Amino acid sequence: GESVGLHLPTLSVQEGDNSIINCAYSNSASDYFIWYKQESGKGPQFIIDIRSNMDKRQGQRVTVLLNKTVKHLSLQIAATQPGDSAVYFCAERDGGTASKLTFGTGTRLQVTL
Amino acid sequence: GAVVSQHPSWVICKSGTSVKIECRSLDFQATTMFWYRQFPKQSLMLMATSNEGSKATYEQGVEKDKFLINHASLTLSTLTVTSAHPEDSSFYICSVPAGGSYNEQFFGPGTRLTVL
């Protein structure tokens, strides 16, 4: 996939506000999507997933929305906290590739006080 | 979810040497593990799929003779970077699919490799 190089898109949000992180995907055969959070120097941490037969799924303070028509995925974080500051990646699985994931370019979330 | 560890967490080596990175699934038996590479401020790129008891499957553009993968047991996969060069400096991360029909993946903490 194409890399954004040295500059990750950054979203700055004030503490307590809601955050929306977007992701576009291109593979119409993708049947499963995951959002991961990655803090500096650490491995990705699973946040929430959604299957292609759903358009919304909620977790604790997080919601994932899937729009297959425009191949768009979003992660909503309610009442954003300083501990939410990290890089967020969406990942998609092609239904025919036995669980291999393709990662998006990532978005850095900065939570300001 | 599955608990995955990696060792070492960081390593510095001289150019031309080989470095082995271990990935362990601590609470889950994994017939498959994945190895990713991540350059600074970039996304994760899948390098190879490690298969227990058989050869690894490498992604296009990844040199199998340079990145040797051994999946000797259901809980351990190793990645050896042979004859490392500065351009191999990166963050190497492994993951374990948790099973089930959708196989969400759980990631290790990563290994930072710096080649001087």
Side-chain angles (χ1 to χ4, degrees):
Chain A
E2 187 175 336
S3 167
V4 293
L6 297 179
H7 299 285
L8 280 171
T10 299
L11 174 67
S12 285
V13 174
Q14 201 160 14
E15 181 181 6
D17 287 350
N18 297 333
S19 303
I20 300 176
I21 300 171
N22 297 303
C23 177
Y25 66 95
S26 57
N27 186 356
S28 56
S30 292
D31 66 347
Y32 178 54
F33 304 86
I34 310 176
W35 278 101
Y36 286 96
K37 172 186 180 183
Q38 187 179 29
E39 296 174 311
S40 181
K42 298 183 179 180
Q45 177 187 356
F46 174 92
I47 301 175
I48 192 168
D49 60 357
I50 189 167
R51 301 177 185 181
S52 59
N53 60 354
M54 304 170 68
D55 52 22
K56 180 179 180 179
R57 189 158 188 238
Q58 288 185 290
Q60 188 177 15
R61 272 200 317 119
V62 294
T63 301
V64 55
L65 298 178
L66 174 63
N67 184 331
K68 293 183 290 295
T69 302
V70 296
K71 298 190 184 68
H72 184 267
L73 195 67
S74 69
L75 175 70
Q76 301 177 3
I77 304 174
T80 312
Q81 303 168 359
D84 295 327
S85 294
V87 177
Y88 290 80
F89 292 98
C90 66
E92 59 182 300
R93 188 191 83 153
D94 184 314
T97 58
S99 78
K100 284 169 55 173
L101 294 178
T102 300
F103 280 77
T105 52
T107 296
R108 180 177 301 282
L109 176 64
Q110 290 181 337
V111 181
T112 58
L113 302 177
Chain B
V3 179
V4 183
S5 70
Q6 285 184 237
H7 178 81
S9 55
W10 59 271
V11 56
I12 302 172
C13 69
K14 292 183 180 180
S15 187
T17 60
S18 295
V19 175
K20 180 186 283 189
I21 301 169
E22 293 184 348
C23 175
R24 292 184 185 273
S25 176
L26 301 181
D27 59 351
F28 188 82
Q29 292 188 325
T31 56
T32 301
M33 293 185 184
F34 297 98
W35 285 98
Y36 294 82
R37 179 167 52 182
Q38 185 179 31
F39 292 108
K41 299 188 179 182
Q42 295 190 23
S43 189
L44 282 76
M45 295 299 293
L46 179 65
M47 298 176 67
T49 302
S50 174
N51 303 301
E52 189 267 336
S54 64
K55 291 182 179 180
T57 306
Y58 290 82
E59 296 300 300
Q60 193 172 10
V62 178
E63 299 175 60
K64 63 180 181 180
D65 295 330
K66 181 168 184 63
F67 298 100
L68 301 179
I69 291 172
N70 183 24
H71 195 147
S73 76
L74 290 172
T75 58
L76 174 64
S77 174
T78 60
L79 168 69
T80 301
V81 183
T82 62
S83 187
H85 291 284
E87 58 265 30
D88 298 323
S89 298
S90 189
F91 195 50
Y92 292 87
I93 313 171
C94 68
S95 74
V96 172
S101 59
Y102 283 85
N103 279 332
E104 62 184 275
Q105 291 185 24
F106 294 95
F107 285 81
T111 296
R112 171 75 58 195
L113 170 63
T114 302
V115 185
L116 302 177

